[in-house]
Amino acid sequence: NQTEQQPLARVIYDATEKLSFTAVAGAEFRQFQNSAVGDRVTPIFEFGSVWTPFDSTRLSFRAFRGVKNSNAFNSQNYTITGVSATIQQRFFQKFYARLTGGYENSDFYATAPGNFAGRTDNYFLVRPSITWKIKDWAEVELFYQYRDLNSTLARRDFDNNQVGIEAAFEYL
């Protein structure tokens, strides 16, 4: 069992009509009950910016760090640090071309004595897509996605190519 607290500070700043910044930063205090594992303090943050140089063009950037529980392995958590960027261009008023790329580093650690968790994962993503905004409440996206995971635990390595269609409907 573990408990956590996250005191955070948030700043939102619109530098101009076309450029904005957000920042959330703080620390995570995590305690482990009935365990010889010591308490942990981890700096956490999320920084982002959006630049809209033209009405139909949008560039965004995000950097982040946080702590998560492992879904794949019992008694392990990981600290995840990463960056992502997206460029989006609207055309014909209802279509959007988007390119997203990102990188994440995950460092795993044990949350119970006797559990080995000395694993590090490096994950890369590239995702170009085309979205058709049918109505204010409906859109369809056609995408290609390349993912690559390099891990110090060799059996976790993978790379793959995916093509898909995603539909989103919003009830207003």
Side-chain angles (χ1 to χ4, degrees):
N1 286 343
Q2 51 189 299
T3 57
E4 67 189 69
Q5 300 80 38
Q6 293 184 346
L8 301 170
R10 178 183 312 251
V11 175
I12 299 172
Y13 176 62
D14 292 328
T16 68
E17 287 183 9
K18 297 182 177 206
L19 181 62
S20 64
F21 299 94
T22 59
V24 177
E28 179 177 282
F29 299 92
R30 194 170 285 252
Q31 303 84 34
F32 302 95
Q33 285 81 33
N34 303 320
S35 173
V37 175
D39 296 345
R40 291 180 71 108
V41 178
T42 306
I44 58 175
F45 62 83
E46 183 169 343
F47 302 119
S49 64
V50 177
W51 180 42
T52 310
F54 310 104
D55 179 51
S56 60
T57 306
R58 177 183 169 124
L59 292 93
S60 60
F61 174 79
R62 179 176 166 250
F64 57 90
R65 179 181 173 93
V67 178
K68 297 186 177 187
N69 300 91
S70 173
N71 292 329
F73 296 99
N74 289 331
S75 301
Q76 290 186 15
N77 288 354
Y78 60 97
T79 302
I80 184 168
T81 307
V83 295
S84 67
T86 299
I87 182 168
Q88 176 180 284
Q89 178 68 47
R90 186 182 73 234
F91 57 100
F92 302 126
Q93 297 302 319
K94 291 190 175 252
F95 293 90
Y96 297 85
R98 186 177 300 129
L99 176 62
T100 299
Y103 166 76
E104 296 176 356
N105 172 272
S106 300
D107 287 318
F108 289 74
Y109 61 90
T111 62
N115 185 16
F116 174 75
R119 174 177 137 211
T120 299
D121 290 351
N122 291 295
Y123 175 77
F124 301 90
L125 167 77
V126 176
R127 181 182 169 129
S129 67
I130 298 287
T131 301
W132 174 30
K133 189 154 181 86
I134 302 165
K135 297 281 185 186
D136 287 342
W137 50 269
E139 64 184 37
V140 175
E141 178 183 30
L142 174 63
F143 68 88
Y144 163 77
Q145 182 169 279
Y146 172 75
R147 303 182 313 156
D148 182 39
L149 178 76
N150 297 305
S151 179
T152 55
L153 184 60
R155 68 175 191 236
R156 301 295 294 175
D157 285 354
F158 72 83
D159 67 338
N160 65 25
N161 297 281
Q162 300 175 342
V163 176
I165 296 176
E166 191 172 289
F169 302 96
E170 182 179 320
Y171 293 98
L172 302 175

